Structure formats: structure tokens, C-alpha cells
Amino acid sequence: MALAQHQATDLEPIIVTGAKRGYIAVNSVTATKTDTALIDVPQSVTVVTRAQLNDQAMYSLGDVLRYVPGVTVGQGEGNRDQVTLRGQNTTADFFIDGVRDDVQYYRGLYNLERVEVLKGPYALIFGRGGGGGIFNRVQKAPSAAGGMFGTRTSVNSFGAYDLSLDLNVPTGEMSAFRLNAAYEELANHRDVYEGQRSAINPHFAADLGYGWKAGISYEHIDDDRVADRGVPSLAGVPIRGYRDQFFGVPGVNRTTLDADIVKVRVDGVLTPDLSFSTTALYGDYDKVYTNVFPSGVATAQAGTVALDAYADATTRQNLLVQSNLVWSLHTARVDHQVLFGLEYGDQDSTNRRSNGVLSSRTFNLANPVFPTVSFSAPARDTVSNVETVSAYVQDQIRFGDRLEAIVGIRYDRFDIDGLDLQPNPDRPFTRTDEKASPRLGLIFKPGPGISLFASYSQSFLPRSGDQFLTLSTTQQNLEPEAFVNHEVGLKWDVRPGLNLTAAVFQLDRSNATTPDPLNPLVTINVGKTRTRGIELGLTGRITSAWQVSGGYAWQEATLQGNEAVRLGQVPEHQVSLWNRYSVNERLGLGLGIIHQSEQFASIRTSAATTRLPSFTRVDAAVFYEITPSVQVQLNVENVMDETYFADAHNNFNISPGAPRNARLTLMTRF
């Protein structure tokens, strides 16, 4: 089979038959936009498969990423996914099937085949942002191979429960329909917490013949939950003894999301050596959140905490179109797979923020009485349009069986045009950035199943930031933030089904900004930062009965020229290891461990910076197959009932980790 024919069949396939149960993935479309074996990708990639998502009873990206060394989960102000990867904090570097998904919200896992974490800035593939890497969700796809009906029901010891279904129906020899749906009732250990999330995702795909395929997917999400900013700090560490205490106002702290997302994809074979694909995504998002939260450190003498409040409403309409042409050719003894790509984006946003007026701005720890809240006129009111046009070319070159290279460059034009409605008169803002982002990777294979790689890559972030909320007069005249990554590594298939990875990297960021640790609503320029690190990963089967997924990361993230200033939310050491052992054909046992060394809640500019202590969490599970179609499992999180602080947003908002809790799950598949 010609290389292009293989590409047209397997490039992000629309109709798939599914994979055998296991934790290891062998290829990725996302990393190169071509179907490439992971051993041939010159960058660090972590893949969490559907089997592992199920075994660990994961329900959020936060659940997933706590088991990915090198990634730190942030609090996200209690209303969104927010992470730090290789020292770079982001709310927007999320993708679905390789297409940008940059709105701030909590992403579910109910309709996913796997989650991919690609580390290092690769604007060639993803465009702006992605300074530390990106997070890609791979959606479940219809299969014409046969019908399937699966359900999942669970309840945990806090009272949360969920129901989900997965239905696949062939509608002909060459077409199929898949429906994924989920409903969750949320609860946790906090004194005030509740919520509901529902989602539905119908997906139809067909093989049109003559090498052409098409698919259309629609997803509706409705999320309504308490917005919880955690606990304050005291004397430079998180306050103790208030793990369950809510520091917001019941009935006021709330975040809602209503989203509709349509995705259309067409793939085709133009010639035996030339294939084509286009993906178009339209998303309409309406999000509101209201926060009352600790706005300062607790005082030991008075036993009080300062509070603040605001309400924030955002709408976004995203139109994103991505087209790729893949050409396979052979010259002498060299094989080429050349990718030509075009992307277009049009994103309209509105944002309005109103400050809260509290009946009392002081919360008494000894006598916790919640204040009343009203909201003033908008403190921020903006509309903006972002239009992006990108063109890129990449060549994957194979020099025989041992040496490969990836070279490419991308051109991005980023235009933002907005209006700040709050000043009187209105203040327009605009900015255009044009950037070229190169990528170079070399791969050497000294033997079968082993590769050594080296890579160089760049990315950039415009001054309007992740969410295009505003552009100040000063920022309007500043160059974008820039990211440069150098990396060398090893990928080794120790044996079939067991993979070992190792990487050493240095990531430099210039024109860097960060929230002011003393006033998080203000962004400050800090100049240049540098993150150095080592990452190790082990995934697959140790024996036929024992599967593992884990790794280790060492990171040092500092200001260049002043290494005493450490970046926030970057622990020096992280270790994770999840094990599943099959005692027999029906009974299985699971054991997981997460260790994270201490970290600073924000950039360490003074002794007043809050330090989150190190922690070790142990999780466990028992699996039992009642019949080949029915399985029950019990997952216990934090078996040792460790007191720990899971994540933070800044020095004053820190999330306490949950105490020991259990989740009972019943899964069926017919």
C-alpha cells in the first residue's frame, strides 16, 4: 500500500473498530498532523487511554493530569481548567481532535477515546500559545464494524453520582451513528458544594467511497456548579484546620456554562500519493461565574480573612477551519511525507465584569457569618474580534531505516480588534502580529524499537493573552511573548507492549508576564524566564497480568538572571505510578501513588509568597467482572487520608485535597 493511501485511511480516522484494552498508545495524529508512530515523534508525548480513564474512575482533566508528571493542575478560580506545563500557566491550550478549544470551562471525559499531553512549544502544528505544550482530547468515533451499547453508573461517598451511555449503531455497510451522553450530580467534602453537569454528543460518519469519508458531530454541554476558591494562607502556608470551611457565600458563588459545538470533517484520497482533510468547528459558549473569595492572608491575631467579590459574564463564538494536504514522495533513497496546511479562525468575544459590594469585607474564622452581596456597575465591559490566518509546511524525511528528520515552518497572522466600553468615551484597541515559527527534529534509531531524538521549536503568545479580554494602551505596543524549546530524549520499546521514555529540556520565555502576587488582578512584566527539566515515563505491560503507567519529572523554573526567583506552581519533583494487576480472568487490583514536592502558589518575589507543602497521595481499586459484559469496580482515593493542598490560584486561594473517599462503579457493554 502506498504511503498516501495509508495516510488517507488512518489520518484521524472517522470510522474505527476500537483498540484492545490497554494503557499504551503506539501512534498519534496530533503531534505531526499525520499518522505517526510515537517512537518517530521528536518530542515528549503522554497518552492516557480510555482503558486507564475507566480504571482510575477519572471524570475531569484535573483527575487525568495529576497523574502526568511535569503538569501541575491549577485551581482555575473554581470555574475552569487551568494548568501549568513546563512552567507556563494556561487556560487556553486545549484542543479537541487537533482543533483549538480555548474557552474557559471544565471539560468532561464521557465522549473521549484518550487524552494526549504534548510537551514543548510547537506553534508549527498548533499556532499561537502552547508555550509549555498542549492538551488534546480525542473524541470517540462511530464504527461500522458492529453495534455496541455501553452504560456507566457510579456513586461516591460524598453523594455524587453519574450516569452515562455509549451507543454505536451501524447504519449501513459503510456508515455508522454514535451517541455519547452523560449526567453528573456533583458533591465533595466542602461545606458548601453542589452542581450538575449534563452533556450529549451525537456523531455520524460515513465512507463515501473512492477514498472519501465524512463525519459530523454535535455536542451540547450544560454545567452549573458552585464556584469555590478554597482557603486562604496564614504565615506563608495554607491555613490549617479549615479544610471543609467555605469562604464564599452560599447561593452567590456559582458558575454556569451553556455550550453548543458542531464539528465537521472530510477526508479524501486525491491520488495514490496525495491525501486531503478539512475540519471545521463552530462553537457557541455562554458562561457566567460569580465569586466571593479570600482576597488576602488570614490574620492569626484577629482571626479574620479579608473577602472580595466580582461577577463575570463571557460569550464566545468560535469558527475554526483547518485544511491539510499530505503528499508522499520518494527521491533516490529518501522518503518524504510533506504536509501543507492552512488554518482560519474567527472568534467573537464579549466580557463584562462587575465588582461585588459586601455587607462585610471581613470573615471571622471563629464566628463564620456569610455577608450579603450586591454588584456595582461594570468595572470591565469589552467586545473583541480575533481573526487568524495561518499557513504551514512540514516535511517528515526518512533517510533509510535509522535516520529521520522533521523540518517545518508556520506563518501566523493574528488580528485583534476590540472596544473597551467602560471608559467614557469608549476606547478602541487593535493589534496585528505576524510571526514565523520553525520546528526542527532529528531522530536516530540505533536498533529496532529504540529512538534517540533532538528537537528545536518555537511559539508565541500575543499581548491580548489567552482570552482576548482587553488590550491596555501599554500592552498594545509590546511584542508578543516568545517561547523557545530545546530538547533531547529517548523512546524505547523495552518489549512489545512496554514503552520507556526519557527527555531533557530547556524552555526559555521572553517578554514574560505573570499576575502580581500581591494583587492578582494586575499583570506584571517579569522579563525572561527559564525552565529546565528531566522527564521519565513508563507505560504498558510489565507482565501479561500487570499494567503500569507512570513517570517522574524534575523541574527548575526561575527568572533568567535572578535564579532565586522561582516561578509559581512548579514543584521541583513529581512522581506518579498507577498499577493494575489481574489476579485472574475476573478479579483485578489497582494501586496508584502521586508525590509532589513543595511549590509556590505564585511567583516567588518575596518571603510573603505562599508555599504549598509537599504531599503523597495513595489511591487503590478493585475490579470484578461479573459477566463478560458487566463489570463492577471500587476506587478509593487518598487511602491514607493524607491532609494536603491540591492546587492554588494565587497566594490567597488554595484548594484543600479531599479526604479518603470511595466511588463504586457499574459498567456494562453489549
Side-chain angles (χ1 to χ4, degrees), residues 409-476:
I409 192 165
R410 178 183 182 119
Y411 164 80
D412 283 285
R413 179 184 172 92
F414 176 93
D415 287 291
I416 183 170
D417 188 6
L419 190 64
D420 190 339
L421 302 171
Q422 180 55 32
N424 190 10
D426 300 342
R427 184 185 70 86
F429 57 88
T430 185
R431 169 82 191 215
T432 298
D433 289 299
E434 296 182 274
K435 287 292 180 181
S437 303
R439 176 185 188 181
L440 172 63
L442 297 174
I443 303 160
F444 175 66
K445 296 182 174 179
I450 186 170
S451 69
L452 305 172
F453 71 85
S455 70
Y456 171 87
S457 59
Q458 292 185 9
S459 189
F460 72 99
L461 180 66
R463 284 296 175 172
S464 52
D466 283 347
Q467 299 299 325
F468 333 127
L469 298 183
T470 188
L471 197 59
S472 70
T473 305
T474 301
Q475 290 173 327
Q476 239 174 296

Side-chain angles (χ1 to χ4, degrees), residues 252-333:
V252 174
N253 283 59
R254 184 183 179 204
T255 177
T256 63
L257 171 78
D258 187 82
D260 295 280
I261 305 162
V262 178
K263 180 163 62 73
V264 178
R265 176 162 175 139
V266 177
D267 293 77
V269 176
L270 303 176
T271 73
D273 296 317
L274 194 64
S275 62
F276 168 84
S277 69
T278 288
T279 303
L281 183 148
Y282 176 78
D284 189 331
Y285 309 83
D286 189 347
K287 180 186 171 185
V288 178
Y289 68 95
T290 306
N291 261 322
V292 180
F293 56 96
S295 59
V297 300
T299 59
Q301 296 83 2
T304 60
V305 177
L307 298 180
D308 210 337
Y310 64 84
D312 192 285
T314 299
T315 67
R316 171 78 60 79
Q317 291 80 43
N318 281 353
L319 174 61
L320 304 163
V321 182
Q322 181 184 110
S323 295
N324 297 302
L325 192 68
V326 179
W327 180 31
S328 299
L329 67 154
H330 313 278
T331 59
R333 297 182 179 180

Side-chain angles (χ1 to χ4, degrees), residues 162-184:
D162 72 278
L163 309 166
S164 64
L165 67 87
D166 185 358
L167 172 68
N168 184 81
V169 180
T171 55
E173 291 185 1
M174 307 295 285
S175 63
F177 171 79
R178 191 158 190 170
L179 176 67
N180 283 274
Y183 176 81
E184 295 180 57

Side-chain angles (χ1 to χ4, degrees), residues 75 189-190 228-234 237-248 293-298 305 365 610 612 644-657:
Q75 183 192 88
H189 64 289
R190 303 280 283 160
D228 185 0
R229 297 278 286 266
V231 302
S233 60
L234 174 64
V237 295
I239 192 170
R240 296 273 182 171
Y242 296 89
R243 184 194 63 192
D244 301 339
Q245 175 66 55
F246 185 60
F247 286 86
F293 56 96
S295 59
V297 300
V305 177
L365 297 174
T610 299
L612 273 61
Y644 70 102
F645 296 91
D647 48 59
H649 181 64
N650 53 41
N651 287 335
F652 318 131
N653 304 147
I654 304 151
S655 299

Side-chain angles (χ1 to χ4, degrees), residues 614-631:
S614 64
F615 69 87
T616 302
R617 195 184 88 186
V618 178
D619 303 330
V622 179
F623 313 93
Y624 187 74
E625 189 176 276
I626 300 172
T627 72
S629 299
V630 181
Q631 177 179 298

Side-chain angles (χ1 to χ4, degrees), residues 316-638:
R316 171 78 60 79
Q317 291 80 43
N318 281 353
L319 174 61
L320 304 163
V321 182
Q322 181 184 110
S323 295
N324 297 302
L325 192 68
V326 179
W327 180 31
S328 299
L329 67 154
H330 313 278
T331 59
R333 297 182 179 180
V334 180
D335 295 332
H336 298 263
Q337 190 170 51
V338 185
L339 168 74
F340 302 94
L342 293 173
E343 285 189 14
Y344 173 78
D346 187 275
Q347 300 177 270
D348 290 308
S349 304
T350 70
N351 176 258
R352 174 177 289 191
R353 174 169 292 191
S354 300
N355 292 326
V357 179
L358 302 171
S359 60
S360 173
R361 302 185 73 88
T362 302
F363 189 79
N364 191 314
L365 297 174
N367 182 27
V369 176
F370 298 113
T372 59
V373 189
S374 61
F375 292 94
S376 62
R380 181 173 68 206
D381 192 0
T382 62
V383 296
S384 68
N385 171 260
V386 168
E387 187 174 47
T388 55
V389 178
S390 307
Y392 47 91
V393 60
Q394 172 187 267
D395 191 4
Q396 293 174 258
I397 310 167
R398 179 175 295 173
F399 305 92
D401 295 331
R402 293 186 180 272
L403 185 62
E404 299 177 20
I406 294 181
V407 295
I409 192 165
R410 178 183 182 119
Y411 164 80
D412 283 285
R413 179 184 172 92
F414 176 93
D415 287 291
I416 183 170
D417 188 6
L419 190 64
D420 190 339
L421 302 171
Q422 180 55 32
N424 190 10
D426 300 342
R427 184 185 70 86
F429 57 88
T430 185
R431 169 82 191 215
T432 298
D433 289 299
E434 296 182 274
K435 287 292 180 181
S437 303
R439 176 185 188 181
L440 172 63
L442 297 174
I443 303 160
F444 175 66
K445 296 182 174 179
I450 186 170
S451 69
L452 305 172
F453 71 85
S455 70
Y456 171 87
S457 59
Q458 292 185 9
S459 189
F460 72 99
L461 180 66
R463 284 296 175 172
S464 52
D466 283 347
Q467 299 299 325
F468 333 127
L469 298 183
T470 188
L471 197 59
S472 70
T473 305
T474 301
Q475 290 173 327
Q476 239 174 296
N477 298 316
L478 297 177
E479 285 296 307
E481 299 183 58
F483 308 86
V484 177
N485 189 73
H486 298 82
E487 186 168 349
V488 295
L490 161 75
K491 298 184 180 183
W492 179 25
D493 294 331
V494 181
R495 60 168 169 265
L498 182 63
N499 178 254
L500 174 68
T501 61
V504 179
F505 70 88
Q506 177 176 294
L507 173 57
D508 291 329
R509 179 179 185 177
S510 57
N511 304 322
T513 63
T514 188
D516 186 337
L518 300 179
N519 184 4
L521 296 178
V522 175
T523 298
I524 59 174
N525 295 320
V526 294
K528 297 181 179 181
T529 70
R530 171 168 289 172
T531 306
R532 294 190 179 100
I534 298 172
E535 295 173 352
L536 304 173
L538 181 67
T539 306
R541 294 186 181 273
I542 302 294
T543 69
S544 60
W546 181 15
Q547 289 190 85
V548 299
S549 176
Y552 165 76
W554 171 83
Q555 294 184 99
E556 181 183 70
T558 63
L559 285 186
Q560 291 192 48
N562 189 357
E563 283 68 24
V565 178
R566 289 174 52 185
L567 302 188
Q569 301 186 34
V570 185
E572 187 175 2
H573 302 282
Q574 289 176 287
V575 180
S576 73
L577 182 63
W578 171 259
N579 304 263
R580 175 180 169 128
Y581 186 80
S582 298
V583 179
N584 54 44
E585 291 184 357
R586 291 193 169 188
L587 179 64
L589 303 175
L591 183 66
I593 185 170
I594 302 170
H595 173 76
Q596 187 168 290
S597 64
E598 67 177 20
Q599 60 174 310
F600 292 102
S602 61
I603 188 169
R604 187 191 179 190
T605 57
S606 69
T609 302
T610 299
R611 186 192 303 260
L612 273 61
S614 64
F615 69 87
T616 302
R617 195 184 88 186
V618 178
D619 303 330
V622 179
F623 313 93
Y624 187 74
E625 189 176 276
I626 300 172
T627 72
S629 299
V630 181
Q631 177 179 298
V632 64
Q633 69 184 64
L634 177 67
N635 292 80
V636 181
E637 179 185 304
N638 195 7

